[in-house]
Amino acid sequence: MTNPLATQIADLKLSNPTMLAAGVLGYTGLSMKRVIESGAGAVVTKSMGIEPRTGYGNPTVVQTDCGLLNAMGLPNPGISHFEEEMKELNKLNAPTIFSIYGFSPEDFAEVAKIAVEIGAAAVELNVSCPHVKKAGAQVGSDPSLLMEIVKQVKSQIEKPVIVKLTPNVTDITEIAKAAQKAGADAICAINTVKAMAIDPETCKPILANKYGGLSGTAIKPIGLRCVYDIYNAVDIPIIGCGGISNWQDAVEYLLAGACALQIGTAIAFQDITVFKSVTDGITNYLEHKGFNNLKDIIGLAHKT
Ligand code: SIN
């Protein structure tokens, strides 16, 4: 019997559309193993670069009424140190996607090459972190620089290249089109929304970095709008990300045009059982509405 929840991103086959989003529980092989065992169709690591990076000082996270605000500063041990963590993950039947960042197209290409050498099933280019200078959104808002990054990465690896976009631009579809033109295999939309919090007691911004990225339920309507618009602009697969915390959110993203879904902040507010509750909810929805499989609903909101 065919699996109604099976989905595909380029040649990456997933048993269900849920994926662990970059930045949450993606530091160690064991934590990602737990996420896969709890039902995720794939996992994405914390963003990694060539060199180890300490990141910003504390506070790095603020809880808001409807999400989390974070500015970690891309802390990571350096891509090569992740080889050890892959030992746990290589044994499992779900792809590990490496989120990578760089400060130049050459950086991205080098990190991507190492990622694939140590076992990445695909790479996700973090060209969307809203607050690290000369990386993230600063490179991902410039279509020609983004194209150069994608081209250089594509020239180094044969695995799928996913480009994670920032919503902090005037027209996200222009950036998505540039990524596709340069050879990207898929788009992930969206990374966090640039935001801040101020403490009335100290009269100062709370995050050490002042600015951070907002994630969680507050940004779901923004992510949904971005996926809907990108679906009309490109013909490569789209991974929806931003505020997915239950099956209804997931179905909305599928109807908007996403073929897979990343979940991150909901893990902090619920726990890793969210992957199973979302996939169970999608299955029940398909049955209840008389759809055969996921493909029947991907992008359906465009046809009504
Ligand atoms: C961080 O490490 O500060 C977050 C990374 C991101 O937003 O992409």
Side-chain angles (χ1 to χ4, degrees), residues 92-103:
L92 302 175
N93 201 14
T96 301
I97 298 162
F98 278 50
S99 171
I100 61 170
Y101 70 87
F103 294 91

Side-chain angles (χ1 to χ4, degrees), residues 7 23 29 42 57 74 77 93 105 117 125 152 170 182 192 194 197 202 204 214 217 220 231-232 241 258 289 302:
T7 192
L74 297 170
N93 201 14
E117 278 164 10
L125 310 184
Q152 292 218 19
T170 308
T192 54
K194 190 171 181 181
T202 62
K204 289 182 178 157
L214 183 64
T217 53
K220 191 197 76 183
Y231 186 80
N232 285 325
C241 180
K289 298 285 281 181
H302 294 263

Side-chain angles (χ1 to χ4, degrees), residues 63-95:
Q63 185 169 341
T64 70
D65 293 340
C66 41
L68 290 179
L69 184 55
N70 90 83
M72 317 288 290
L74 297 170
N76 76 99
I79 186 92
S80 303
H81 287 81
F82 212 74
E83 187 167 11
E84 186 65 25
E85 306 300 332
M86 282 306 291
K87 287 184 184 148
E88 288 297 333
L89 295 165
N90 280 333
K91 297 175 211 152
L92 302 175
N93 201 14

Side-chain angles (χ1 to χ4, degrees), residues 2 13 35 46 50 64 116 128 140 171 246 254 261 275 283:
T2 54
K13 291 193 170 75
V35 171
K46 172 73 183 158
I50 296 174
T64 70
V116 170
S128 43
D171 183 358
N246 55 42
L254 293 164
L261 313 153
F275 294 98
T283 303

Side-chain angles (χ1 to χ4, degrees), residues 39-60:
V43 288
V44 185
T45 66
K46 172 73 183 158
S47 297
M48 280 178 273
I50 296 174
E51 302 292 340
R53 210 178 129 89
T54 313
Y56 306 140
N58 284 320
T60 52

Side-chain angles (χ1 to χ4, degrees), residues 9 20 47 89 136 157 169 176 184 201 212 237 265:
I9 302 155
L20 174 71
S47 297
L89 295 165
I157 63 169
V169 287
E201 209 50 54
T265 303

